[in-house]
Amino acid sequence: MSRMFLLLMTAAFFTACKNEQPSNDQARIVFEPGDLSFIASSLNPKQETMSALYGNDSALRLLSKDGHQVIAGAVMKLVTWRDHDNPQYFGSKINGELLSVETIQAGSNDSIAYHLDLGTLQHQTPQAERIAYIMTYKPVQIP
């Protein structure tokens, strides 16, 4: 009996102390918004992605207006992740690997610049269409 107990305890010790380091292809990239605040989010079930839009105060004012008149200095970042089933809650999704980070920035002369900071887009869409899409986000209303 004591040999069996000792064998089980030894096996439990070695399996519990297994120290696995994720390989580079499993490393999870985390997006840090810095000074930008959360504005809105969206899900795309067909592409199995979820996105969050972050922006500064000027971007929030810009998206809150109906006319979408450009406000100089507005900065927005649309961050897109692959979604995964949440192992903790049946039927819910969580963000997985970071797919892309897109930035749009309003200039002083009513111009808007677009830049793909990280990743690739699933569909090669012209910049003007990406800007128009990002501008359709409406800020989340918090009571």
Side-chain angles (χ1 to χ4, degrees):
M1 171 84 174
S2 66
R3 277 190 171 170
M4 183 62 109
F5 179 75
L6 182 60
L7 181 64
L8 287 173
M9 291 304 290
T10 304
F13 174 79
F14 284 112
T15 57
C17 293
K18 188 175 178 183
N19 186 11
E20 283 188 33
Q21 295 296 323
S23 66
N24 285 343
D25 61 336
Q26 293 176 335
R28 187 168 172 156
I29 300 171
V30 177
F31 175 76
E32 174 57 47
D35 292 340
L36 303 179
S37 301
F38 174 79
I39 294 177
S41 64
S42 65
L43 297 172
N44 188 329
K46 288 182 182 179
Q47 293 181 359
E48 297 180 337
T49 60
M50 55 179 44
S51 299
L53 182 67
Y54 298 91
N56 59 9
D57 290 337
S58 297
L60 184 60
R61 284 194 314 272
L62 172 66
L63 294 175
S64 297
K65 292 179 158 188
D66 288 333
H68 288 311
Q69 302 239 339
V70 175
I71 297 175
V75 176
M76 290 174 259
K77 290 189 179 282
L78 183 65
V79 184
T80 304
W81 296 270
R82 171 97 38 230
D83 69 9
H84 294 281
D85 291 331
N86 186 341
Q88 306 270 325
Y89 298 99
F90 178 75
S92 68
K93 300 286 186 180
I94 58 171
N95 58 337
E97 62 270 15
L98 183 60
L99 298 176
S100 65
V101 177
E102 302 170 81
T103 300
I104 61 175
Q105 188 166 10
S108 59
N109 56 353
D110 289 346
S111 65
I112 297 180
Y114 171 88
H115 188 261
L116 180 62
D117 298 328
L118 176 75
T120 58
L121 299 177
Q122 288 186 335
H123 303 287
Q124 295 303 323
T125 308
Q127 289 183 3
E129 287 184 32
R130 291 305 298 165
I131 292 170
Y133 170 72
I134 293 169
M135 297 292 286
T136 64
Y137 275 80
K138 297 292 181 202
V140 172
Q141 299 294 318
I142 301 173

